[in-house]
Amino acid sequence: PGLSANQQERAILVSVAVRGEQTSFSPEESLDELERLAQTAGIQIVGREMQNLDAIKSGTYIGTGKVETIKAICDAEELDMAIFDDELSPAQLRTLESEIGVRIIDRTALILDIFALHAQTREGALQVALAQYAYRLPRLTRMWTHLSRQGVGGVGLRGPGETQLELDRREISRRMAQIRVELEQVRKQSSSQRRRRRRQGLPVVSIVGYTNAGKSTLL
C-alpha cells in the first residue's frame, strides 16, 4: 500500500570520502546539506553511514562490507530508502537496490524530486518532467517497476508519476519528445508575454538561488 498523507518516508544517508580528493565541503558538511534537502522533500532521516575509500567502487559505489551494514540497518529499522550523497551510475543503482533491498536515491534524484514538488508554472513543471525522464531512462529497473505497480509514491517517484516507470524506453523517449514540443510552445507564449510587459514599461525581476535557499520566503 502507498504511504498515508501524514506518514513520512524514513531513510539513511550514505557518503564516501575519497582519500586525497580535494572538495569545497567536508563530507560532514555535505551530509548536513543533504539532510536539509531530504527534510524539504518530507523524509525523516534515521541515521548516517560514511566510508573512507581510496577510490569509488565501480560496481557498488561503496565497499561490500558497507553494503552489508546498510542492508542490516535498513532491515532492522524498516527503512524505505537509502540516500547517497553523489550521483550514482545506472549499474550502481541497480546493484545497490538488489543487494540492499530498499529504494536507492542519489543526490540528483532528490533535487529533481524537490523541483517537482515545488514547480508552480507550466513551463517549470515541463522542465522538471523532462529532466526526470532523462534521469530515469537509463535507470529503469525491475525493482522500480514492481514498486510502481504497488502504487507506492514518495521521493524519487514523484513528478511524471510512478506509472511511467512501467513504460518501456521507447515510450518514455516518445513522451520526452512530446514534452519538448509542449515546452517550446510554452516558451513562445512566455516570450510574447515578456515583450508585452516591456512595451508596457513593467519591470521584470528574477530571484535565483540554490534549492532550499529561501527564494519563496524572500518572494
Side-chain angles (χ1 to χ4, degrees):
L3 293 170
S4 62
N6 60 354
Q7 183 179 355
Q8 275 191 309
E9 292 183 290
R10 303 168 71 244
I12 184 172
L13 303 181
V14 184
S15 175
V16 166
V18 178
R19 296 184 182 94
E21 186 176 82
Q22 298 297 320
T23 59
S24 301
F25 303 97
S26 69
E28 292 80 6
E29 290 172 329
S30 187
L31 273 181
D32 286 343
E33 180 189 54
L34 188 68
E35 182 166 357
R36 289 193 294 271
L37 290 172
Q39 290 169 345
T40 298
I43 304 169
Q44 178 186 353
I45 301 304
V46 174
R48 300 180 175 193
E49 282 292 323
M50 298 181 61
Q51 185 174 34
N52 294 313
L53 293 175
D54 293 326
I56 296 297
K57 304 298 182 182
S58 59
T60 55
Y61 187 77
I62 52 178
T64 54
K66 186 62 70 173
V67 171
E68 294 173 359
T69 298
I70 293 171
K71 175 176 174 51
I73 294 172
C74 289
D75 289 345
E77 297 288 342
E78 298 183 344
L79 301 184
D80 301 291
M81 71 185 77
I83 305 176
F84 282 69
D85 192 20
D86 202 348
E87 181 169 328
L88 301 174
S89 71
Q92 290 168 341
L93 185 67
R94 286 191 294 269
T95 301
L96 288 168
E97 284 188 333
S98 175
E99 295 192 8
I100 297 176
V102 299
R103 199 179 334 145
I104 303 298
I105 303 294
D106 63 16
R107 177 180 275 265
T108 301
L110 178 60
I111 291 175
L112 287 174
D113 187 86
I114 293 171
F115 286 160
L117 197 60
H118 295 283
Q120 299 294 320
T121 66
R122 175 62 176 162
E123 183 176 5
L126 287 170
Q127 288 174 330
V128 174
L130 184 60
Q132 287 183 307
Y133 278 130
Y135 170 83
R136 291 175 183 175
L137 185 58
R139 293 172 170 83
L140 291 177
T141 67
R142 289 183 180 179
M143 182 175 183
W144 281 44
T145 302
H146 174 63
L147 286 171
S148 73
R149 290 194 178 116
Q150 289 183 336
V152 178
V155 174
L157 300 175
R158 270 192 282 257
E162 57 270 19
T163 57
Q164 296 298 330
L165 296 172
E166 295 183 87
L167 302 177
D168 61 16
R169 287 176 172 80
R170 182 180 302 176
E171 174 60 20
I172 290 181
S173 296
R174 184 197 65 79
R175 178 58 182 151
M176 289 173 67
Q178 181 180 343
I179 289 176
R180 290 189 181 100
V181 172
E182 293 181 44
L183 190 55
E184 184 59 30
Q185 293 173 345
V186 171
R187 284 170 173 166
K188 287 180 180 179
Q189 293 173 355
S190 297
S191 178
S192 176
Q193 292 170 354
R194 281 194 296 271
R195 286 196 299 270
R196 185 162 58 248
R197 286 196 295 267
R198 290 193 185 101
R199 285 196 299 268
Q200 295 173 348
L202 296 175
V204 178
V205 178
S206 297
I207 299 176
V208 181
Y210 187 62
T211 302
N212 214 31
K215 298 183 295 295
S216 297
T217 302
L218 177 61
L219 180 62

